Amino acid sequence: MSINRRNFINLSSLGIAGFTLQGFVNKSSAKGMKPIVIATWDAGINANKGAWEVLSKGGSALDAVEKGVMVTEDEISCCVGLGANPDRDGHVTLDASIMDHEFNCGSVAFLERIKHPISVARKVMEKTPHVMLVGAGAQQFALAEGFTLEADNLSESADKAYKQWLKKSTYKPVINVERQTTAQPTSQLDDKFKAPARLSNGDWNHDTIGMVALDAKGNLSGSCTTSGAGFKLRGRVGDSPIIGAGLYVDNEVGAVVATGQGEDVIRVAGSSAVVEFMRQGKSPQEACRLVVEKVRKIKKEKAADIQVCFIALNKKGEHGSYALHKGFNYAVQTAEGHQLIESPFVM
Ligand code: GLY
């Protein structure tokens, strides 16, 4: 069974948390579960499977969120890993971050020719006194840690998209990237999920993989990894490697990751802001909504042209999301199986 976003019923106007792949209201959100892992977009289904191999065996949330997003880094997609769309000079540059349950965090930005930026981010966290390494320095560190320097080639699909983009060389955001997927419900789950397809016209788009998990011991961790905005200015860095913007974890409260236009996530310190609303007692969904509303307010009429989305998981294993626009979804994996939940949205 293939899934087409247009087939989903959006229940947000009814105040219902979301619509799942199986057609049930999201029960696990209401009751909370652990272990649990959630991840952005339908690519999150495959990523969650990687994380679940760790969590289901009693492994740590930190190991799970690293392993999980590595799955997406290995896939060819528009927006994650070395197969992704390049910057406007034709080079793929990658951003990633990771954070554990004790405020330890690490990130890399503007990293080139390294297959798993999330693992380099973890090494930054565990082996240096720093939080963030960028560009040539990040690559030098990765090589010193034993990572392989990959070829400076574009994947076949990225090359095609880049050549298409060069014809116009425009720089405009496109929201609600519609993708084909072969994602299936739990009962039919197999290994044939396709990564998100890139936009064939080479337009600008976003699709960070962000993941947060709660392990059997009750500890939270999070990760995110992306090539950022396709055909971006060389040197551009988005929200994903910025702790507090693209990712934040407070083990007493919850864990949050963002996807969408990074500049507007950074502007509101998005993930940290969502965590703070959860600290005040808001549900994960309501906390996400309040920050998305803030983005809408400060962007005014420009909010029509951007997408910003958050997913959040609290200490009880309750989860939720909110997006600026229709079209965002996130994947959930627990012992009960997996769900793909269509996010509520404000515009
Ligand atoms: N949210 C990913 C980026 O803007 O780079």
Short mmCIF file of all heavy atoms in Angstrom, two decimals, residues 309-335:
data_model
loop_
_atom_site.label_atom_id
_atom_site.label_comp_id
_atom_site.label_asym_id
_atom_site.label_seq_id
_atom_site.Cartn_x
_atom_site.Cartn_y
_atom_site.Cartn_z
N CYS A 309 8.59 23.23 11.54
CA CYS A 309 7.90 22.15 12.25
C CYS A 309 8.75 21.70 13.44
O CYS A 309 9.98 21.71 13.36
CB CYS A 309 7.71 20.92 11.37
SG CYS A 309 7.46 21.21 9.62
N PHE A 310 8.06 21.28 14.49
CA PHE A 310 8.75 20.69 15.65
C PHE A 310 8.08 19.37 16.01
O PHE A 310 6.86 19.22 15.86
CB PHE A 310 8.64 21.61 16.88
CG PHE A 310 9.32 22.93 16.70
CD1 PHE A 310 8.59 24.05 16.33
CD2 PHE A 310 10.68 23.06 16.90
CE1 PHE A 310 9.21 25.28 16.14
CE2 PHE A 310 11.31 24.29 16.72
CZ PHE A 310 10.57 25.39 16.34
N ILE A 311 8.89 18.42 16.51
CA ILE A 311 8.34 17.25 17.19
C ILE A 311 8.91 17.23 18.60
O ILE A 311 10.06 17.64 18.81
CB ILE A 311 8.64 15.93 16.44
CG1 ILE A 311 10.15 15.63 16.35
CG2 ILE A 311 8.00 15.92 15.07
CD1 ILE A 311 10.45 14.22 15.83
N ALA A 312 8.09 16.79 19.55
CA ALA A 312 8.51 16.84 20.95
C ALA A 312 8.08 15.56 21.66
O ALA A 312 7.03 14.98 21.36
CB ALA A 312 7.87 18.05 21.64
N LEU A 313 8.91 15.17 22.62
CA LEU A 313 8.67 13.97 23.42
C LEU A 313 8.94 14.36 24.87
O LEU A 313 9.99 14.94 25.16
CB LEU A 313 9.67 12.89 22.97
CG LEU A 313 9.68 11.53 23.66
CD1 LEU A 313 8.36 10.80 23.45
CD2 LEU A 313 10.84 10.68 23.11
N ASN A 314 7.98 14.07 25.78
CA ASN A 314 8.26 14.46 27.16
C ASN A 314 8.73 13.26 27.98
O ASN A 314 8.84 12.15 27.47
CB ASN A 314 7.06 15.19 27.79
CG ASN A 314 5.86 14.27 28.04
OD1 ASN A 314 5.97 13.03 28.00
ND2 ASN A 314 4.71 14.87 28.29
N LYS A 315 9.01 13.53 29.22
CA LYS A 315 9.61 12.54 30.11
C LYS A 315 8.70 11.33 30.32
O LYS A 315 9.15 10.25 30.66
CB LYS A 315 9.91 13.26 31.43
CG LYS A 315 10.73 12.52 32.41
CD LYS A 315 12.17 12.40 32.00
CE LYS A 315 12.98 11.68 33.07
NZ LYS A 315 14.26 11.20 32.55
N LYS A 316 7.39 11.56 30.11
CA LYS A 316 6.43 10.46 30.29
C LYS A 316 6.28 9.61 29.02
O LYS A 316 5.53 8.65 29.00
CB LYS A 316 5.06 11.02 30.68
CG LYS A 316 5.06 11.65 32.06
CD LYS A 316 3.66 12.05 32.50
CE LYS A 316 3.38 13.48 32.14
NZ LYS A 316 2.12 14.03 32.62
N GLY A 317 6.95 10.02 27.94
CA GLY A 317 6.80 9.29 26.69
C GLY A 317 5.64 9.78 25.86
O GLY A 317 5.26 9.16 24.86
N GLU A 318 5.04 10.92 26.25
CA GLU A 318 3.99 11.54 25.43
C GLU A 318 4.66 12.36 24.34
O GLU A 318 5.71 12.98 24.58
CB GLU A 318 3.11 12.45 26.30
CG GLU A 318 2.38 11.69 27.40
CD GLU A 318 1.81 12.61 28.46
OE1 GLU A 318 2.27 13.77 28.59
OE2 GLU A 318 0.92 12.16 29.20
N HIS A 319 4.05 12.38 23.17
CA HIS A 319 4.67 13.11 22.06
C HIS A 319 3.67 13.96 21.31
O HIS A 319 2.44 13.77 21.45
CB HIS A 319 5.36 12.13 21.09
CG HIS A 319 4.47 11.05 20.59
ND1 HIS A 319 3.68 11.19 19.46
CD2 HIS A 319 4.22 9.81 21.08
CE1 HIS A 319 3.00 10.08 19.28
NE2 HIS A 319 3.30 9.22 20.24
N GLY A 320 4.18 14.86 20.51
CA GLY A 320 3.31 15.71 19.71
C GLY A 320 4.13 16.51 18.71
O GLY A 320 5.37 16.45 18.72
N SER A 321 3.43 17.23 17.86
CA SER A 321 4.12 18.03 16.84
C SER A 321 3.24 19.21 16.47
O SER A 321 2.04 19.22 16.77
CB SER A 321 4.36 17.19 15.58
OG SER A 321 3.15 17.01 14.88
N TYR A 322 3.84 20.16 15.80
CA TYR A 322 3.08 21.21 15.14
C TYR A 322 3.89 21.74 13.98
O TYR A 322 5.12 21.75 14.03
CB TYR A 322 2.70 22.36 16.09
CG TYR A 322 1.20 22.59 16.11
CD1 TYR A 322 0.39 21.95 17.03
CD2 TYR A 322 0.59 23.42 15.16
CE1 TYR A 322 -0.99 22.11 17.02
CE2 TYR A 322 -0.78 23.59 15.15
CZ TYR A 322 -1.57 22.93 16.08
OH TYR A 322 -2.92 23.09 16.06
N ALA A 323 3.20 22.15 12.94
CA ALA A 323 3.86 22.71 11.75
C ALA A 323 3.19 24.04 11.40
O ALA A 323 2.04 24.28 11.76
CB ALA A 323 3.75 21.75 10.58
N LEU A 324 3.93 24.85 10.68
CA LEU A 324 3.35 26.10 10.19
C LEU A 324 2.30 25.78 9.12
O LEU A 324 1.21 26.33 9.12
CB LEU A 324 4.48 26.95 9.63
CG LEU A 324 4.32 28.44 9.47
CD1 LEU A 324 3.68 29.12 10.67
CD2 LEU A 324 5.69 29.05 9.18
N HIS A 325 2.65 24.87 8.23
CA HIS A 325 1.76 24.54 7.10
C HIS A 325 1.43 23.05 7.07
O HIS A 325 2.18 22.23 7.59
CB HIS A 325 2.43 24.90 5.77
CG HIS A 325 2.61 26.37 5.59
ND1 HIS A 325 1.62 27.19 5.10
CD2 HIS A 325 3.67 27.16 5.86
CE1 HIS A 325 2.07 28.44 5.06
NE2 HIS A 325 3.30 28.44 5.52
N LYS A 326 0.39 22.75 6.37
CA LYS A 326 0.00 21.37 6.11
C LYS A 326 1.13 20.63 5.38
O LYS A 326 1.86 21.24 4.60
CB LYS A 326 -1.24 21.37 5.23
CG LYS A 326 -1.86 20.04 5.02
CD LYS A 326 -3.12 20.17 4.19
CE LYS A 326 -3.73 18.80 3.96
NZ LYS A 326 -4.90 18.87 3.11
N GLY A 327 1.23 19.34 5.63
CA GLY A 327 2.16 18.53 4.83
C GLY A 327 3.27 17.88 5.62
O GLY A 327 4.00 17.06 5.09
N PHE A 328 3.39 18.24 6.91
CA PHE A 328 4.45 17.64 7.72
C PHE A 328 3.91 16.40 8.43
O PHE A 328 2.75 16.37 8.85
CB PHE A 328 4.95 18.65 8.75
CG PHE A 328 5.93 18.08 9.74
CD1 PHE A 328 7.11 17.49 9.31
CD2 PHE A 328 5.66 18.09 11.10
CE1 PHE A 328 8.00 16.93 10.22
CE2 PHE A 328 6.55 17.54 12.02
CZ PHE A 328 7.72 16.97 11.57
N ASN A 329 4.74 15.38 8.55
CA ASN A 329 4.35 14.22 9.35
C ASN A 329 5.57 13.70 10.11
O ASN A 329 6.70 14.11 9.85
CB ASN A 329 3.72 13.12 8.49
CG ASN A 329 4.59 12.71 7.32
OD1 ASN A 329 5.78 13.01 7.28
ND2 ASN A 329 3.99 12.05 6.35
N TYR A 330 5.29 12.84 11.10
CA TYR A 330 6.40 12.25 11.85
C TYR A 330 6.08 10.81 12.20
O TYR A 330 4.92 10.40 12.28
CB TYR A 330 6.75 13.09 13.09
CG TYR A 330 5.77 13.06 14.24
CD1 TYR A 330 6.04 12.32 15.39
CD2 TYR A 330 4.58 13.79 14.20
CE1 TYR A 330 5.15 12.32 16.48
CE2 TYR A 330 3.70 13.78 15.27
CZ TYR A 330 3.99 13.06 16.40
OH TYR A 330 3.11 13.04 17.47
N ALA A 331 7.15 10.05 12.39
CA ALA A 331 7.03 8.60 12.62
C ALA A 331 7.26 8.30 14.09
O ALA A 331 8.12 8.91 14.73
CB ALA A 331 8.03 7.87 11.75
N VAL A 332 6.51 7.34 14.60
CA VAL A 332 6.61 6.92 16.00
C VAL A 332 6.83 5.42 16.06
O VAL A 332 6.15 4.67 15.34
CB VAL A 332 5.29 7.25 16.76
CG1 VAL A 332 5.40 6.83 18.22
CG2 VAL A 332 4.94 8.71 16.63
N GLN A 333 7.74 4.98 16.90
CA GLN A 333 7.97 3.54 17.08
C GLN A 333 7.95 3.22 18.57
O GLN A 333 8.66 3.85 19.37
CB GLN A 333 9.32 3.15 16.49
CG GLN A 333 9.73 1.70 16.73
CD GLN A 333 9.08 0.72 15.77
OE1 GLN A 333 9.20 0.87 14.57
NE2 GLN A 333 8.39 -0.28 16.32
N THR A 334 7.11 2.26 18.93
CA THR A 334 7.09 1.74 20.31
C THR A 334 7.00 0.21 20.21
O THR A 334 6.96 -0.34 19.10
CB THR A 334 5.86 2.25 21.11
OG1 THR A 334 4.68 1.66 20.52
CG2 THR A 334 5.75 3.76 21.10
N ALA A 335 6.86 -0.43 21.36
CA ALA A 335 6.69 -1.89 21.35
C ALA A 335 5.39 -2.29 20.66
O ALA A 335 5.22 -3.42 20.23
CB ALA A 335 6.71 -2.41 22.78
#
